[in-house]
Amino acid sequence: MSVKLEEKHVSEASTYLPLALKSALAKVLAPGCIERQEADPLLWQEKIIGRKLVELYVLTGYYLKITDVSALEGEDPKFNFSLEQYDELAAAYHQLEDMAGDKRAKGILRDFLDWVEMLDMEIKNQLAAKNDILARLGGLLEVGAIPEAFEALRQAAQEVKEDGEAP
């Protein structure tokens, strides 16, 4: 069963989150949106389920105030949002879109999408840092990588270098 947004949800919702809060949410929640691939050398990618959970958590918790976000705001922040909660609230975004004539609904969505853009940038930044060739080399060393893995890494580095050189 899914929750149906009511007028009170929209009328009591936040149409703007302060920039500092948006930034903090993106930084704290982005690690839950990335995962390690099962590959050698170590490689990280976006975790689709984690991303979907995080986005709906922020929309329903910080904007619509339907989801309890108090665990994230404590001294030891914890993300507390299950797949079952997601399934129950998944229609919230589309219900807001369907309220096309409501100025508050538009404001909520506009600001939320601004935050989603910040989350996207933070995920990309964290992936770039984790997938950095030197960080990956360090990961290989930690797991005692075999010589073939070092050779593959050396070849990848050479390809990057050649791609970056002007013709």
Side-chain angles (χ1 to χ4, degrees):
M1 181 179 121
S2 90
V3 170
K4 175 147 176 48
L5 286 185
E6 298 174 9
E7 176 59 36
K8 76 173 188 136
H9 293 124
V10 175
S11 66
E12 296 173 0
S14 296
T15 57
Y16 176 77
L17 296 183
L19 185 60
L21 177 58
K22 285 180 195 159
S23 177
L25 287 171
K27 285 187 183 312
V28 168
L29 296 173
C33 300
I34 59 178
E35 65 186 351
R36 183 178 169 179
Q37 273 186 349
E38 295 301 320
D40 284 324
L42 177 64
L43 190 64
W44 293 82
Q45 68 184 9
E46 188 167 349
K47 181 179 181 180
I48 296 170
I49 289 178
R51 168 88 183 238
K52 298 299 262 177
L53 288 171
V54 161
E55 287 179 0
L56 192 61
Y57 176 79
V58 169
L59 177 63
T60 60
Y62 284 89
Y63 286 94
L64 297 172
K65 299 174 181 32
I66 296 171
T67 301
D68 179 13
V69 293
S70 61
L72 191 65
E73 296 175 351
E75 273 191 42
D76 183 24
K78 290 188 179 26
F79 179 76
N80 189 13
F81 194 68
S82 67
L83 289 171
E84 291 79 18
Q85 287 173 293
Y86 179 92
D87 291 339
E88 186 177 314
L89 298 167
Y93 181 85
H94 297 296
Q95 290 175 22
L96 277 172
E97 283 184 319
D98 291 344
M99 298 177 180
D102 187 306
K103 192 174 184 174
R104 286 190 65 77
K106 282 183 184 177
I108 295 165
L109 286 175
R110 187 175 298 120
D111 198 67
F112 172 70
L113 291 175
D114 185 44
W115 176 78
V116 168
E117 186 178 313
M118 290 179 75
L119 175 66
D120 189 51
M121 287 185 274
E122 186 61 37
I123 291 169
K124 286 178 181 173
N125 290 343
Q126 289 188 20
L127 283 174
K130 286 185 172 284
N131 286 328
D132 176 76
I133 197 138
L134 293 176
R136 292 172 68 194
L137 178 58
L140 287 172
L141 290 171
E142 285 179 15
V143 297
I146 55 175
E148 292 85 17
F150 282 111
E151 179 59 23
L153 188 58
R154 189 197 62 73
Q155 287 176 350
Q158 183 63 32
E159 289 172 15
V160 169
K161 181 181 175 190
E162 289 170 3
D163 287 345
E165 293 177 355

